[in-house]
Amino acid sequence: MIKYEMPLLDYKYSDLEPHLDAQTMEIHYSKHHQTYLDKLNAALATHIDLKQIDIFYLLKQVHSLPEEIQTVVTNMGGGYLNHNLFWKMLAKPGQTISEKLSDKLSEDFGSVQKFQDEFSAKATGLFGSGWTWLIQNEDGKLEIENSSNQSNPSLEKNVTILMGIDVWEHAYYLKYQNKRADYIAAWWNVVNWEYADSLLAVKE
Ligand code: MN3
């Protein structure tokens, strides 16, 4: 039997105000994320022989699962995993960026500002629903990548995800309506730089 649970948040819904409003946070967590989880668990409950493993590894081997649940596990399991990551990648406003991360961003993008501009442009330009990620590839280089729907690059290749933004409309529509660029600009205020720094590998 295999069953996943909602993660706990390290902050209150209102802690990311005014950048991410409490109502959007509450609906996003308690309705959208909860629904991904419930539908994932419901699909898995039809196969009680499956063993509990981390959701990341379940998704990595989704093609070895019974065919009739592969699509629902990809979509709902992907949504479950991505939101687990998303909440951890957010923090109360006021975090500063470490020297280690700032140096690495400057090395790979020219400057922290250039990285942010490139990331914002990529997230603004993503067509439809999806995510924009900062990843560190196998060679140690930082890259920005988009994914559609509820996929993410670490499910397809050997990379580390350091940062990511949900650009599905449900992530911002209540406060920002069609103005995705405004949501992205506000999101920079609640990026968890410490989390990204903790995952950054630096070659000596
Ligand atoms: Mn979402």
Side-chain angles (χ1 to χ4, degrees):
M1 183 68 183
I2 178 167
K3 193 168 190 286
Y4 295 97
E5 291 176 359
M6 286 294 277
L8 297 174
L9 299 181
D10 295 328
Y11 39 75
K12 299 197 297 287
Y13 295 137
S14 59
D15 280 348
L16 311 184
E17 292 263 13
H19 314 291
L20 302 190
D21 61 292
Q23 192 185 13
T24 297
M25 285 296 296
E26 179 170 4
I27 293 171
H28 202 171
Y29 177 87
S30 70
K31 304 286 190 241
H32 291 279
H33 193 180
Q34 184 74 52
T35 300
Y36 291 121
L37 172 65
D38 291 346
K39 290 187 173 173
L40 171 68
N41 281 335
L44 294 171
T46 61
H47 294 274
I48 56 168
D49 52 319
L50 292 172
K51 295 224 169 33
Q52 186 80 34
I53 55 168
D54 188 278
I55 184 61
F56 176 75
Y57 296 104
L58 184 79
L59 288 166
K60 284 277 232 189
Q61 57 176 55
V62 68
H63 297 294
S64 69
L65 294 175
E67 209 177 325
E68 66 271 20
I69 62 168
Q70 286 183 14
T71 300
V72 65
V73 169
T74 297
N75 292 337
M76 300 304 155
Y80 171 62
L81 170 66
N82 280 353
H83 289 84
N84 287 352
L85 293 172
F86 187 54
W87 310 131
K88 281 195 282 190
M89 298 183 298
L90 295 171
K92 290 182 198 179
Q95 272 204 10
T96 50
I97 180 166
S98 70
E99 202 178 321
K100 173 184 142 204
L101 182 54
S102 150
D103 286 351
K104 181 64 177 155
L105 288 168
S106 298
E107 187 185 320
D108 290 348
F109 295 98
S111 69
V112 174
Q113 188 58 53
K114 281 184 181 159
F115 154 68
Q116 289 185 272
D117 291 347
E118 196 177 316
F119 189 101
S120 294
K122 194 122 181 164
T124 305
L126 189 154
F127 182 75
S129 295
W131 297 72
T132 299
W133 310 95
L134 172 66
I135 58 176
Q136 185 166 32
N137 73 19
E138 275 185 294
D139 300 328
K141 195 169 188 309
L142 298 181
E143 293 171 343
I144 301 165
E145 200 167 298
N146 284 348
S147 67
S148 290
N149 299 317
Q150 294 297 358
S151 183
N152 85 46
S154 70
L155 295 171
E156 284 141 30
K157 51 193 175 182
N158 189 19
V159 299
T160 306
I161 290 177
L162 304 182
M163 186 183 292
I165 184 171
D166 185 347
V167 292
W168 283 58
E169 281 190 346
H170 69 230
Y172 61 89
Y173 206 85
L174 271 179
K175 183 173 167 78
Y176 297 99
Q177 294 84 46
N178 60 317
K179 300 182 285 286
R180 186 193 281 178
D182 290 358
Y183 157 65
I184 295 163
W187 168 82
W188 286 112
N189 293 292
V190 289
V191 163
N192 192 344
W193 294 107
E194 285 174 20
Y195 175 81
D197 175 82
S198 74
L199 295 172
L200 177 70
V202 177
K203 283 185 186 150
E204 296 303 320

